[in-house]
Amino acid sequence: MGSADLHRYLATAVLTLGVIHGGMHGFWHAKRKKLAVVGIVIASIIAFALGIFGVPFLNRQKRSVEISYAEKQPEAIVEWQGNKPLVVYFTRMGNSNFEPDVDAVSGASLLISDGEMMGNNQLLAKMICDITGFESEAITLTGEKYPSSYSDTIVVAGDELKEQARPGVEPIDVSEYDSIILVYPLWWGSIPMPVATFLEDNDFDGKTIYLIITQGSSGYGNTISEIEELCPNAKVVPGASIYCEDIPDAGNQLVNLISSWNTGQM
Ligand SMILES: Cc1cc2nc3c(=O)[nH]c(=O)nc-3n(C[C@H](O)[C@H](O)[C@H](O)COP(=O)(O)O)c2cc1C
């Protein structure tokens, strides 16, 4: 458990105990004791849920994480047998209106790797390529970029999802590849709409799409079925769902995962 996790759990415990404590003061004065107990239980559950889900949400909006990439990168190298996959990733970095000297506040949720500001998925893609020697391509918007502010991006992305928008992206040629490693963030429980554009723009028939997702809570959301629907004749292989704060330490997990794909032990 990292210090961020420890902080989150302690904050949640203090918040929940505070609510129970306050509730017990109320309980002694309450006329309807049963109702008071129900109220305390409900308020405690809400406080607990706020702590577990709210603290990571605020973390993502308020801070970026500084790492030394050289210290994090595993020494192990994966030797891929056969036609190497292409790593295709989507990230806010490069697709947002950040100033060139984006700082840790406006770039909240991003990583600072050896002084360079990077998107979470950009760093993951770099790690994969350094471990394997694969090539990578970024899904890059051709039109308007997302706002620099994290919370404004949430709003724009929510509207795009409702409208099932397909923002234009630079072409990426996947025709020479038998498999793609798609590295993408969870947005509103879904794939970001530029990722949908990329999937629709290309022919994945007969290809394998390995999935690596990053997120701020857990799981793949609806993304596996969304990708299967967009690429009905591809084999879609979920690989890892990585919590954003765990990304800098994901190197060994990636080594094991990619090795297992290559030997067919999925
Ligand atoms: C527009 C937007 C929507 C998001 N929606 C979710 C979500 O529904 N669930 C979640 O766990 N994380 C969500 N996140 C957090 C991102 O998935 C997470 O921070 C990701 O690692 C960001 O990758 P990036 O830095 O490469 O852009 C969202 C982030 C953004 C910007």
Side-chain angles (χ1 to χ4, degrees), residues 23 26-27 30 32-41:
F27 175 82
R32 299 171 68 185
K33 302 283 186 205
K34 267 192 192 157
L35 201 61
V37 170
V38 172
I40 293 170
V41 171

Side-chain angles (χ1 to χ4, degrees), residues 60 90-93 109-110 119-122 150 153-154 157 185-189 214-218 244 247:
R60 290 202 300 275
F90 179 76
T91 181
R92 276 173 77 216
M93 200 69 201
S109 92
L110 300 177
N120 291 331
N121 293 277
Q122 181 186 11
Y150 183 90
T153 305
I154 299 264
L186 187 64
W187 276 17
W188 284 103
T214 72
Q215 34 69 23
S217 50
S218 65
C244 44
I247 291 168

Side-chain angles (χ1 to χ4, degrees), residues 136-150:
S136 73
E137 294 275 2
I139 298 173
T140 310
L141 292 170
T142 49
E144 202 176 327
K145 295 185 175 192
Y146 292 101
S148 57
S149 131
Y150 183 90

